[in-house]
Amino acid sequence: QVRLVESGGGLVQAGGSLRLSCEASGSIFSINAMSWYRQAPGNQRELVATITSGDSTNYADSLKGRFTISRDNAKNTVYLQMNSLKPEDTGVYYCNVIARPVGSSWWRPYWGQGTQVTVSS
């Protein structure tokens, strides 16, 4: 029904930047909040940032000022601009959207497959 495809991950040196993208496709009636999560090896998945349908944003406290989330509603795409990257930012980054499929009355969360971000020191 709803498919998420992430891109933009890779290997970068500390201090560098990456921009992640996540496009939602399929039978989508509407999308509410869009978020990025990340999971480092041995750690639980944690929220990185969220942007609502009204463009309100929320960030993990430790990431404020370095990461910026944005969305393009016409493209059903959410972005994560990551600057001043640190080795501790290494992990798999997952896209999450709250969407309502066509023909459904229910909102539900959907997850992407994840994209690896590796920051070398």
Side-chain angles (χ1 to χ4, degrees):
Q1 288 179 318
V2 178
R3 191 168 74 108
L4 303 181
V5 177
E6 298 129 332
S7 60
L11 174 64
V12 65
Q13 289 188 333
S17 298
L18 283 174
R19 189 191 193 208
L20 306 183
S21 300
C22 171
E23 181 180 6
S25 62
S27 301
I28 302 170
F29 179 78
S30 185
I31 295 177
N32 195 333
M34 307 180 85
S35 303
W36 287 96
Y37 287 74
R38 69 182 183 184
Q39 187 167 19
N43 289 359
Q44 290 186 331
R45 193 173 297 188
E46 63 176 356
L47 177 65
V48 173
T50 295
I51 184 166
T52 68
S53 57
D55 286 337
S56 294
T57 57
N58 183 57
Y59 297 90
D61 287 341
S62 61
L63 302 176
K64 288 180 181 177
R66 295 195 297 124
F67 289 14
T68 303
I69 190 170
S70 61
R71 63 192 284 172
D72 184 334
N73 293 325
K75 297 180 179 179
N76 286 341
T77 299
V78 61
Y79 306 97
L80 185 68
Q81 178 67 43
M82 304 185 293
N83 299 327
S84 303
L85 283 162
K86 304 175 181 180
E88 51 263 42
D89 294 319
T90 294
V92 179
Y93 284 69
Y94 296 92
C95 173
N96 169 277
V97 303
I98 307 300
R100 181 177 161 189
V102 172
S104 173
S105 300
W106 302 99
W107 296 88
R108 58 156 290 185
Y110 294 88
W111 290 91
Q113 80 286 353
T115 185
Q116 177 69 44
V117 171
T118 303
V119 184
S120 63
S121 58

